[in-house]
Structures are given as C-alpha cells and as structure tokens.
C-alpha cells in the first residue's frame, strides 16, 4: 500500500506539472480535474476513419442478418460480457450472437452455454470487426466503464442498432444518434429488455448521420 501511495503521489505531481493534458471525453476531463484539482485539461473526442464514415449508406440496413448480435471487447469483463450471458435466456427472439475477444481457454473454463446460437472468436483484425458489424443487426456493449466508447461509433457507421450503458463517456459519444438504447450497467434484466425492444423497433433512418459521425 505504501508503494501504491508513493506511486500515486509521484503521478499526481507529474500531472500537475504538465502544461497541457488532452483527454478523449468530457467525462474523463471531469474525472481528472476533480482528482487532481487542475484546470489545464482539454477534450479532443475520438473519431472514426473518414473512409468508414463515407462508406455508410442505407443499403447496409437492408443487408443485415436479422436478429444478430455482436459483442466485441478484448477487456470482456469490463465490457459486461457476464451480464450479457445472464441476459440470454430472457431474450424473446431466436438470435445469433457473435462474441469477440475472449481467449479460448476462458471460453472452455468459464462459459458453458447450451441451447444458444453463439459463435466465439478469440480475435479479429480491424477489417474483420468491420465485416462483422456490417452484417450484425445489433451491437451490444453493456460496459461497466468506458472513457468514450469509439466502438459504438464504428457500429453506428456500419448501420447497427446499439444497446449500451449510460456510463463514462458512452452517452457523450451516442447522444445525437437514433437507434440507440442506453441502460444502467450490471442488470441482465434491463439488458434483455433493451435487446428485445431494439429487435422490436424498426431502424429509424437519419439523413444527417454522416455529419454527426
């Protein structure tokens, strides 16, 4: 504990001596400002590649595989995978779930799921992620914490509906988009309800989506 406290003090001094700090969300700026009592923090939101924005068109929606869910997170614990797993039996539709980011050993040791259509993928490169989002109807990210959540924006650019949580910078990233449902974290019941509602709702076109992205 003494080492942790000493390291924390050193870090605080380093932060206070910095002439400029740039963070990727107003949420993170507030955390740093309050934690270190400093006022030289500025926000530069993360964005997505222009090529990804320019590729968006509403034909993406028509080519979606219906009732498909994508969960993509290398830090799957913080990403809320356990909550999603617990929500599955409450989903009212026949669905196909793709889970990306969980090591194979963890899959075998921790998750034994029978009766569900689930594909486990240990890792995907960026092109593979975009291909998955292109065919998925719903991107599910029930994260416990998130500084900004740029993956949600990538999913929006690929025409996905979004079910995520109202933690960290996620509301900041998604506040202006349609086809988004944000819930409190940690509740598999609320998550299942949000997924059901998302599947029931028709996709709402947004003519200004490229400008927003």
């Amino acid at each position: 504990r003494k080492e942790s406290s000493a390291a924390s003090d050193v870090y605080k001094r380093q932060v206070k001596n910095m002439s400029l700090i740039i963070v990727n969300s107003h949420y993170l700026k507030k955390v740093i400002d309050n934690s270190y009592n400093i006022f030289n923090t500025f926000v530069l939101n993360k964005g997505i590649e222009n090529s990804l924005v320019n590729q968006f068109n509403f034909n993406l929606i028509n080519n979606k595989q219906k009732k498909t869910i994508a969960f993509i997170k290398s830090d799957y614990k913080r990403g809320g995978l356990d909550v999603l797993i617990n929500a599955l039996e409450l989903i009212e539709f026949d669905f196909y779930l793709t889970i990306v980011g969980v090591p194979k050993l963890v899959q075998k040791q921790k998750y034994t799921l029978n009766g569900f259509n689930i594909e486990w993928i240990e890792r995907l490169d960026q092109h593979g992620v975009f291909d998955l989002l292109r065919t998925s109807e719903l991107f599910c990210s029930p994260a416990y914490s998130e500084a900004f959540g740029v993956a949600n924006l990538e999913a929006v650019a690929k025409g996905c509906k979004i079910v995520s949580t109202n933690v960290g910078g996620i509301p900041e990233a998604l506040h202006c988009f349609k086809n988004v449902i944000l819930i409190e974290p940690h509740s598999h019941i609320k998550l299942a309800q949000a997924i059901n509602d998302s599947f029931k709702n028709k996709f709402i076109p947004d003519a200004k989506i490229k400008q927003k992205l």
Side-chain angles (χ1 to χ4, degrees):
R1 289 186 178 179
K2 290 182 179 179
E3 290 180 358
S4 177
S5 177
S8 177
D9 290 341
V10 170
Y11 184 70
K12 286 181 179 179
R13 287 197 298 270
Q14 290 176 337
V15 169
K16 287 188 174 182
N17 288 332
M18 292 178 182
S19 58
L20 178 66
I21 300 172
I22 298 176
V23 296
N24 64 6
S25 66
H26 290 279
Y27 157 76
L28 200 53
K29 171 179 166 53
K30 184 176 180 181
V31 169
I32 292 176
D33 288 351
N34 291 341
S35 299
Y36 301 110
N37 193 29
I38 57 177
F39 304 97
N40 58 341
T41 310
F42 296 86
V43 177
L44 180 63
N45 288 136
K46 273 187 177 180
I48 59 176
E49 298 177 9
N50 285 333
S51 60
L52 191 60
V53 175
N54 294 331
Q55 289 170 12
F56 178 86
N57 64 78
F58 289 108
N59 288 329
L60 287 170
I61 315 307
N62 299 327
N63 294 326
K64 293 285 185 182
Q65 297 176 8
K66 300 301 182 183
K67 306 301 182 288
T68 50
I69 306 170
F71 174 95
I72 306 169
K73 191 72 173 177
S74 58
D75 188 354
Y76 57 90
K77 292 181 180 179
R78 184 167 60 88
L81 178 58
D82 286 352
V83 178
L84 175 57
I85 294 299
N86 290 332
L88 297 183
E89 63 182 16
L90 299 178
I91 297 177
E92 300 170 359
F93 301 88
D94 292 330
F95 62 88
Y96 189 93
L97 168 63
T98 303
I99 299 174
V100 180
V102 181
K104 290 182 179 179
L105 183 60
V106 176
Q107 297 171 22
K108 294 178 181 179
Q109 290 181 344
K110 186 172 182 179
Y111 300 106
T112 303
L113 300 169
N114 298 316
F116 298 111
N117 295 316
I118 300 177
E119 179 182 6
W120 297 85
I121 301 175
E122 187 168 2
R123 64 175 59 88
L124 282 175
D125 62 18
Q126 197 67 66
H127 293 293
V129 168
F130 292 159
D131 285 342
L132 175 60
L133 292 175
R134 178 177 51 81
T135 59
S136 299
E137 180 178 355
L138 174 65
F139 178 67
C140 185
S141 175
Y144 299 155
S145 65
E146 192 71 70
F148 187 64
V150 72
N152 288 301
L153 296 181
E154 293 172 343
V156 169
K158 286 299 182 181
C160 296
K161 298 175 181 177
I162 309 292
V163 170
S164 191
T165 49
N166 57 1
V167 300
I170 293 175
E172 186 178 336
L174 294 175
H175 75 279
C176 64
F177 294 104
K178 302 176 181 179
N179 308 295
V180 172
I181 300 177
L182 299 183
I183 61 169
E184 295 292 331
H186 303 287
S187 172
H188 70 281
I189 295 175
K190 290 182 179 179
L191 178 59
Q193 181 179 351
I195 292 173
N196 288 329
D197 289 344
S198 185
F199 278 152
K200 291 173 185 176
N201 296 337
K202 290 185 177 180
F203 187 91
I204 303 173
D206 183 354
K208 296 183 178 180
I209 192 167
K210 286 188 177 182
Q211 294 94 311
K212 293 177 180 178
L213 286 167

